[in-house]
């Protein structure tokens, strides 16, 4: 399997065996990430740096390796092929449909019921009791009464908002105040529906730190002259950023596939005394799809050019390590260890199989519209994971928006480009 490079030189593709060896590196990284679940959690700053570095490597690999392959497919002989373009558009659309469908699955709901306490501890005596309120009404009567009260208040505030917006002179400040009140009621009702437990100590500690930052920002505002409107506005933006951090810690408990959440049980065993836990099927499907997409890209790129496959494998290694760690946290708290080991082995194996199948298929698919569609599909799906999940998770880490942490994204991108130039 070979293709011609941009400069006209021949590119030798890797064999299936070579692709399997190359793909084994990120697959092993994922397995090692899962195996370290009982060890100490890396700091959030380190997580954010490595996640941004991984994102930079992946984007660089797409720019330097994957897109040139797609471009050669779309323009064989220098002229645009509309048949290949149509196939690429179908692959592009299919990837977006698949990734948004996975995102629309109740993955967040599963995780919130498992670890609704902000901060998302993997397990513990409190987490075992979290779950949906019993729809038949024979559950916690106190929670049911609270939920009824929140819904009644929500209806009253909604009626008040309706009156405000239909007034002859709409009071923007009053509307804004009412909207924020409704937002609070919705959050409170959802926490009750999910059976949220009290905030854990780790999240409480982080919340105190965020509140302290907010207090400092407010104190700075008090010292400002009211005539310095521009400086006050700038400081208000800083205070608003601190406020958003406080709200994020206090309210959110959404699972991120690259957000490690270590088990609080040293043995890694779920708390079965608190009742059986639901296996997060949506999460398993999403992680397996991620692994298959990464394996496809390594196989497709490596079959056309062996260095391209190696670069893709290197770029996905950090990503798969984080994915294995966070995936193991969620699985170990929901199943017994023997079952969890079997589930955790599925994504690395799926990645290896996808890479081998993709590599083998290139021999009879290359130069066909189907190959263009597969390349476009895998490329868009990978970019979706980078921009919609990996970078979002890195940004939400404590200090993740700091410039010295953001620079790691560009360090990864620069390293990816240099590797392409050297090899």
């Amino acid at each position: 399997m070979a293709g011609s490079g941009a400069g006209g030189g021949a590119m030798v593709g890797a064999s299936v065996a070579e692709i399997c060896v190359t793909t084994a590196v990120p697959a092993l990284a994922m397995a090692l990430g899962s195996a370290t679940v009982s060890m100490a959690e890396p700091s959030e700053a380190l997580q954010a740096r490595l996640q941004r570095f991984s994102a930079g490597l992946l984007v660089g690999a797409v720019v330097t390796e994957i897109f040139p392959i797609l471009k050669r497919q779309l323009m064989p002989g220098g002229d645009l092929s509309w048949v290949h373009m149509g196939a690429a558009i179908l692959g592009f659309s299919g990837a977006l449909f698949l990734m948004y469908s996975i995102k629309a699955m109740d993955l967040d709901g599963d995780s919130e019921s498992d670890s609704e306490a902000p901060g998302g501890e993997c397990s513990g005596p409190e987490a075992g009791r979290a779950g949906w309120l019993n729809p038949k009404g024979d559950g916690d009567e106190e929670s049911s009464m609270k939920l009824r009260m929140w819904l009644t208040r929500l209806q009253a505030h909604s009626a008040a908002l309706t009156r405000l917006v239909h007034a002859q002179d709409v009071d923007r400040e009053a509307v804004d105040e009412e909207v924020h009140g409704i937002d609070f009621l919705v959050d409170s009702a959802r926490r009750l529906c999910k059976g949220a437990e009290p905030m854990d100590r780790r999240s409480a500690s982080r919340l105190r730190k965020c509140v302290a930052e907010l207090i400092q920002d407010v104190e700075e505002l008090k010292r400002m002259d009211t005539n310095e409107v521009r400086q006050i506005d700038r400081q208000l933006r800083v205070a608003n950023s601190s406020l958003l951090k406080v709200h994020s810690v206090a309210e959110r408990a959404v699972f991120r596939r690259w957000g490690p959440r270590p088990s609080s049980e040293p043995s890694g065993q779920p708390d079965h005394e608190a009742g059986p836990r639901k296996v997060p099927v949506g999460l398993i499907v999403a992680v397996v799809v991620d692994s298959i997409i990464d394996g496809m890209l390594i196989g497709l790129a490596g079959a056309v050019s062996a260095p391209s496959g190696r670069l893709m494998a290197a770029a996905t290694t950090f990503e798969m390590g984080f994915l294995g760690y966070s995936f193991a946290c969620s699985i170990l708290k929901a199943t017994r260890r023997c079952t969890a080991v079997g589930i955790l082995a599925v994504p690395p194996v799926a990645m290896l199989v996808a890479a081998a199948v993709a590599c083998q298929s290139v021999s009879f698919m290359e130069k066909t519209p189907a190959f263009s569609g597969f390349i476009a599909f895998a490329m868009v799906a990978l970019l979706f994971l980078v921009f919609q999940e990996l970078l979002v998770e890195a940004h939400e880490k404590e200090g993740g928006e700091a410039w010295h942490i953001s620079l790691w994204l560009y360090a990864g991108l620069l390293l990816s480009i240099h590797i392409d130039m050297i090899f």
Side-chain angles (χ1 to χ4, degrees):
M1 289 167 283
S4 57
M11 292 191 305
V12 180
S15 65
V16 175
E18 290 172 329
I19 286 296
C20 288
V21 172
T22 301
T23 311
V25 176
L28 181 61
M30 186 175 193
L32 290 176
S34 299
T36 59
V37 70
S38 60
M39 300 173 63
E41 180 188 11
S43 68
E44 294 205 344
L46 177 60
Q47 293 175 36
R49 288 187 180 97
L50 293 180
Q51 286 169 334
R52 288 187 180 276
F53 184 72
S54 176
L57 286 174
L58 290 170
V59 172
V62 168
V63 172
T64 60
E65 303 295 342
I66 304 302
F67 180 71
I69 295 174
L70 179 60
K71 185 177 180 180
R72 287 193 297 271
Q73 286 289 123
L74 297 179
M75 303 182 68
D79 296 326
L80 178 63
S81 171
W82 289 103
V83 176
H84 284 266
M85 176 63 78
I89 292 174
L90 286 177
F92 188 103
S93 304
L96 289 179
F97 177 78
L98 174 65
M99 301 313 294
Y100 276 112
S101 296
I102 292 176
K103 197 178 178 93
M105 294 171 66
D106 195 22
L107 179 61
D108 291 350
D110 288 344
S111 68
E112 287 180 69
S113 63
D114 288 341
S115 57
E116 181 69 21
E121 291 293 333
C122 249
S123 64
E126 301 298 331
R129 295 191 294 274
W132 293 95
L133 289 178
N134 194 320
K136 296 181 180 180
D138 55 353
D140 186 352
E141 184 61 30
E142 182 181 357
S143 297
S144 298
M145 291 179 61
K146 285 182 179 179
L147 181 59
R148 207 172 295 119
M149 179 187 70
W150 289 128
L151 294 179
T152 301
R153 291 182 60 185
L154 182 61
Q155 184 178 9
H157 280 266
S158 300
L161 180 61
T162 302
R163 290 193 297 270
L164 287 172
V165 299
H166 284 91
Q168 185 174 0
D169 296 322
V170 177
D171 187 341
R172 178 182 293 148
E173 305 304 324
V175 169
D176 187 50
E177 182 179 2
E178 201 67 52
V179 167
H180 283 287
I182 292 175
D183 182 50
F184 159 72
L185 292 172
V186 170
D187 289 343
S188 299
R190 289 199 68 223
R191 283 192 287 269
L192 278 173
C193 287
K194 296 291 187 177
E197 295 293 337
M199 184 175 293
D200 58 87
R201 284 176 296 180
R202 178 172 174 269
S203 296
S205 175
R206 185 179 177 188
L207 181 61
R208 294 186 189 101
K209 186 182 297 184
C210 293
V211 170
E213 292 179 3
L214 176 61
I215 296 301
Q216 289 179 359
D217 295 336
V218 174
E219 290 295 328
E220 183 66 26
L221 281 169
K222 289 171 61 177
R223 291 191 291 268
M224 287 185 170
D225 188 343
T226 54
N227 294 321
E228 300 174 345
V229 179
R230 184 172 299 178
Q231 287 76 6
I232 289 178
D233 181 64
R234 186 181 298 112
Q235 182 62 24
L236 282 171
R237 289 201 300 268
V238 174
N240 183 64
S241 177
S242 300
L243 181 61
L244 289 177
K245 289 181 184 178
V246 172
H247 185 260
S248 178
V249 175
E251 184 263 331
R252 298 190 64 184
V254 177
F255 175 83
R256 297 285 186 186
R257 270 173 266 176
W258 288 273
R261 286 175 181 155
S263 176
S264 60
E265 296 291 335
S267 64
Q269 294 286 352
D271 185 9
H272 293 289
E273 295 181 0
R277 306 299 306 279
K278 178 183 176 183
V279 176
V281 178
L283 171 61
I284 296 173
V285 171
V287 172
V288 171
V289 169
D290 289 353
S291 303
I292 291 175
I293 289 171
D294 287 343
M296 275 181 57
L297 269 176
I298 295 172
L300 292 173
V304 175
S305 170
S308 298
R310 289 194 291 268
L311 179 57
M312 281 303 306
T316 56
T317 297
F318 288 102
E319 171 208 355
M320 298 308 289
F322 274 106
L323 185 54
Y325 189 98
S326 57
F327 186 47
C329 283
S330 294
I331 297 302
L332 284 172
K333 70 182 179 184
T335 62
R336 296 186 181 276
R337 181 172 291 274
C338 57
T339 305
V341 170
I343 295 175
L344 293 174
V346 173
V349 173
M351 186 180 190
L352 285 167
V353 172
V357 171
C359 178
Q360 185 63 38
S361 65
V362 170
S363 59
F364 57 86
M365 252 195 343
E366 194 176 7
K367 306 301 181 184
T368 66
F371 186 65
S372 300
F374 274 111
I375 287 288
F377 174 89
M379 182 180 71
V380 172
L382 180 64
L383 290 176
F384 182 96
L385 295 174
V386 169
F387 292 112
Q388 296 289 328
E389 297 188 10
L390 188 56
L391 286 177
V392 171
E393 171 64 23
H395 185 76
E396 291 184 353
K397 290 287 190 296
E398 185 176 355
E401 72 282 357
W403 68 269
H404 55 86
I405 290 181
S406 299
L407 282 179
W408 283 77
L409 170 67
Y410 306 101
L413 180 61
L414 185 62
L415 177 61
S416 185
I417 293 173
H418 273 288
I419 292 175
D420 178 68
M421 297 295 291
I422 293 172
F423 298 101

